[in-house]
Amino acid sequence: HEAETPALSETEVDLLEALLKIKESCPYALAQLRDLVVDMPAISTAVEGFSRRLNALDAKGVDVSSLAFETSYGRSSMEYYDGFVFGFYAQNGLSAIASGGRYDALTKQLGKGVTMPAVGGVIRPDLVVALRGAA
């Protein structure tokens, strides 16, 4: 059935490439995503969800301007995630101390067609211990 699907237009390819190139601090990334919503209305729900997350973090005192955001993050190493993915890095940025994300589609496959909201993650205790020793 994929062979019957029409190829993406040059405009669609350009939009997808622009989307996947976003790598900024959260406020700038949000602005770029909102610009893309004009031509990609299908991402509007996700963009507004991202905006709500940033507002919630800001309300808790987190400096969202210091948080990095990358649209392609996790898309080549965490393929089973199908929604928001995250990673927390030390300032040296070498390895993720914690990472995870949403995987609602996986629950549908494992749950015989029943979908349920799901989120998972991992904290790497060896890196936490190493960072505590470095402080």
Side-chain angles (χ1 to χ4, degrees), residues 36 51 57 61 66 111 118:
L36 285 173
S51 177
L57 288 167
S66 69

Side-chain angles (χ1 to χ4, degrees), residues 53-96:
R53 283 183 185 92
L54 294 181
N55 289 336
L57 288 167
D58 184 56
K60 293 290 185 181
V62 174
D63 178 11
V64 295
S65 67
S66 69
L67 299 177
F69 180 85
E70 180 179 351
T71 51
S72 63
Y73 178 80
R75 299 297 173 214
S76 62
S77 61
M78 298 188 280
E79 294 87 1
Y80 50 91
Y81 292 112
D82 60 358
F84 193 81
V85 293
F86 60 87
F88 294 96
Y89 291 79
Q91 288 182 345
N92 66 17
L94 297 178
S95 298

